[in-house]
Amino acid sequence: MTQQTTKPVSDVVARFIRYCSIPSQSDPFNAQQVPSSQSQFNMARQIQQELIELGAQDVTLDEHAYVTAFWPASAGAEDLPVLGFCTHIDTAWQSYGDEVHPQIKQYEGGKLIIGTDRHGREVYVDETTNPQLKHMVGWDLITSDGTSLLGGDDKAADAMIMSLLYRLKQDPELPHPRLALSFVPDEEIGHGASLLNLNKFGATFGYTIDGGPLGEFCYETFNAAEVTVQAKGLSVHTGTAKGALINASEALMKFNALLPAQERPEYTEGRDGFYYLSYINGNCEEAKAGYILRDHSKEIMNKRKQTCIDAAAFVNKQYGSEVITLDIQDQYFNMADVILKPENKHLIENARRAYKEVGVDMFYTAMRGGTDGAQLSYRGFAAPNLSACYYNGHGVREFVPVPELETMVDMLQHLVAIYAKPVE
């Protein structure tokens, strides 16, 4: 059961709905450019304008749609290390994301009907799809209208940071160190913070905000690689094709069949890694496929890469020529090796303390994905990941609970207050 709500909304909710209404999907088929889609500039300009209106310092928007800014420290905290936050402005490309029509519905138990998708099918969530709904009866939930994803990944986080700044502007006596802020493009296709100038960013350490349910804390991610597989065929009239025709699409199918089927995402969980076919297209003469490989273990990740190399070699041997070629690129690495160093322990303990101060028990998750923190940590900026409070990301069933969204702004207020004193 659902009931549309029309009551006044908080600052963070208003910002979130506004941001979700701005299409900004990244485009894996244009990944050679950053940003991969021009629409991301619309979101970047919105953030830039609001930062200026709030009074942030050194607000910049560069040619790659990276937005950066500073927020001055409260009195007495000017000489403390700069605390950084990083969120991303793009949304996932795997589902519809243009246009997005956010709505607020009150969950009254049972089935929450979000709407209908673009094929006319009912879109809903219930305690079967999301057991967490058991404790959300009576809550307002933000969803799309069913025709698209919502964009909580990661626009909920964008709204949280901006709402935190709004609070700091309203009450300058709230304690906090100097804050470095970054809003980056193309996280969903593996670029994210890769072009963020860390010297200009100026933070000593900090956090990304790109996680799931309230209380989630992640310092461990997958190791990630992208594999581009190309096949070159030879077209011959089918009536005289015997012994001559080489079908590039068939060659890709043979390659795919050699990867372990039981290690696809739909059959894995927890710390299981996987091979994921993200796209495939082609014809007889040429075909192309893209895979992503994921594993928490570097050793097993290397074995996955070798499996792809061996599969290509096997297919080429069958044809007697180099029909299949591979390009394997590392995307990011498991950031646990960095975050768990003794000098970074405060990032874990202070997050736990801030969650506790808003009545939430922090819980760890080994993320089955990645965050900008994976890239940043290996570039020298330790950045574990905090909750963004979205559920069912990357699809039409996505929702963000209003109480969790608002509580995370409270949590961030407590977190920056903790860093208004010297790190222990």
Side-chain angles (χ1 to χ4, degrees):
M1 298 174 59
T2 59
Q3 179 180 337
Q4 197 83 22
T5 61
T6 57
K7 61 186 178 184
V9 299
S10 63
D11 178 78
V12 67
V13 171
R15 291 181 192 276
F16 177 52
I17 290 175
R18 183 161 63 247
Y19 299 162
C20 287
S21 302
I22 303 172
S24 60
Q25 288 181 290
S26 46
D27 181 2
F29 302 106
N30 193 39
Q32 72 279 5
Q33 296 186 18
V34 181
S36 62
S37 60
Q38 288 301 301
S39 65
Q40 292 182 69
F41 273 111
N42 296 331
M43 181 63 188
R45 293 188 190 101
Q46 181 71 34
I47 293 291
Q48 177 194 32
Q49 182 60 37
E50 291 187 21
L51 284 168
I52 293 171
E53 292 172 355
L54 286 169
Q57 299 176 342
D58 300 326
V59 180
T60 62
L61 167 58
D62 72 11
E63 69 275 19
H64 297 296
Y66 284 72
V67 181
T68 56
F70 291 99
W71 192 265
S74 59
E78 297 90 346
D79 296 330
L80 294 173
V82 177
L83 179 64
F85 290 103
C86 179
T87 63
H88 65 88
I89 60 173
D90 64 315
T91 57
W93 58 273
Q94 291 92 340
S95 183
Y96 294 107
D98 183 6
E99 300 172 340
V100 179
H101 302 283
Q103 59 185 346
I104 302 175
K105 290 192 171 184
Q106 186 176 74
Y107 180 58
E108 297 179 346
K111 178 188 288 189
L112 185 152
I113 300 173
I114 292 173
T116 56
D117 67 15
R118 299 187 182 212
H119 304 289
R121 298 172 298 190
E122 184 179 74
V123 177
Y124 69 91
V125 292
D126 59 20
E127 292 180 11
T128 302
T129 64
N130 293 91
Q132 306 97 330
L133 287 169
K134 292 178 181 178
H135 73 264
M136 297 183 184
V137 176
W139 287 16
D140 284 342
L141 307 182
I142 306 171
T143 74
S144 74
D145 64 354
T147 62
S148 71
L149 50 70
L150 176 63
D153 178 9
D154 193 30
K155 291 178 179 178
D158 298 331
M160 291 169 189
I161 287 295
M162 300 299 288
S163 192
L164 171 67
L165 300 185
Y166 176 76
R167 289 189 184 186
L168 298 181
K169 179 180 180 179
Q170 295 297 108
D171 186 356
E173 293 187 4
L174 290 174
H176 59 277
R178 180 173 169 85
L179 304 179
L181 312 165
S182 62
F183 304 82
V184 305
D186 286 335
E187 189 273 348
E188 297 291 359
I189 60 172
H191 289 321
S194 60
L195 297 181
L196 181 64
N197 185 324
L198 292 182
N199 289 330
K200 181 181 177 183
F201 184 48
T204 307
F205 42 70
Y207 298 88
T208 58
I209 309 175
D210 192 13
L214 179 65
E216 181 178 289
F217 183 86
C218 175
Y219 59 76
E220 184 174 8
T221 60
F222 276 141
N223 296 287
E226 182 179 45
V227 182
T228 303
V229 187
Q230 292 187 304
K232 298 294 184 182
L234 177 63
S235 179
V236 178
H237 190 287
T238 52
T240 57
K242 186 174 180 178
L245 183 145
I246 299 175
N247 191 319
S249 293
E250 290 275 5
L252 276 188
M253 291 169 65
K254 291 180 180 181
F255 172 87
N256 187 70
L258 292 170
L259 303 181
Q262 72 277 14
E263 296 181 30
R264 296 171 183 164
E266 59 266 40
Y267 305 122
T268 62
E269 62 183 351
R271 293 182 177 273
D272 300 331
F274 57 76
Y275 303 82
Y276 174 59
L277 174 61
S278 56
Y279 68 86
I280 185 169
N281 55 65
N283 51 40
C284 182
E285 291 241 324
E286 57 184 8
K288 185 176 181 180
Y291 292 82
I292 60 173
L293 313 184
R294 299 289 188 266
D295 211 286
H296 289 101
S297 164
K298 289 182 181 179
E299 180 182 359
I300 298 177
M301 170 58 81
N302 289 334
K303 291 180 179 178
R304 294 187 185 281
K305 295 177 186 177
Q306 189 61 48
T307 296
C308 292
I309 294 170
D310 293 343
F314 185 85
V315 173
N316 288 337
K317 185 176 181 180
Q318 285 185 319
Y319 284 103
S321 63
E322 191 177 55
V323 175
I324 298 283
T325 57
L326 300 181
D327 179 49
I328 302 177
Q329 299 290 334
D330 289 319
Q331 295 176 296
Y332 55 83
F333 301 100
N334 189 343
M335 64 184 183
D337 293 341
V338 175
I339 304 302
L340 293 180
K341 290 181 178 179
E343 62 269 27
N344 294 324
K345 182 180 178 182
H346 64 91
L347 292 167
I348 301 174
E349 296 308 316
N350 286 343
R352 188 200 315 278
R353 178 178 163 190
Y355 275 124
K356 186 175 181 179
E357 288 180 355
V358 296
V360 175
D361 291 327
M362 187 172 86
F363 63 93
Y364 300 101
T365 181
M367 179 172 283
R368 290 183 57 78
T371 74
D372 286 311
Q375 286 190 11
L376 292 169
S377 294
Y378 275 88
R379 292 176 60 200
F381 175 72
N385 195 40
L386 302 173
S387 308
C389 303
Y390 56 81
Y391 295 74
N392 304 339
H394 293 207
V396 295
R397 290 182 170 182
E398 185 181 11
F399 67 90
V400 172
V402 168
E404 293 195 0
L405 184 67
E406 294 174 337
T407 298
M408 266 307 294
V409 183
D410 298 335
M411 183 274 187
L412 293 174
Q413 180 181 323
H414 285 286
L415 184 61
V416 298
I418 291 170
Y419 280 100
K421 297 180 180 179
V423 173
E424 297 180 359

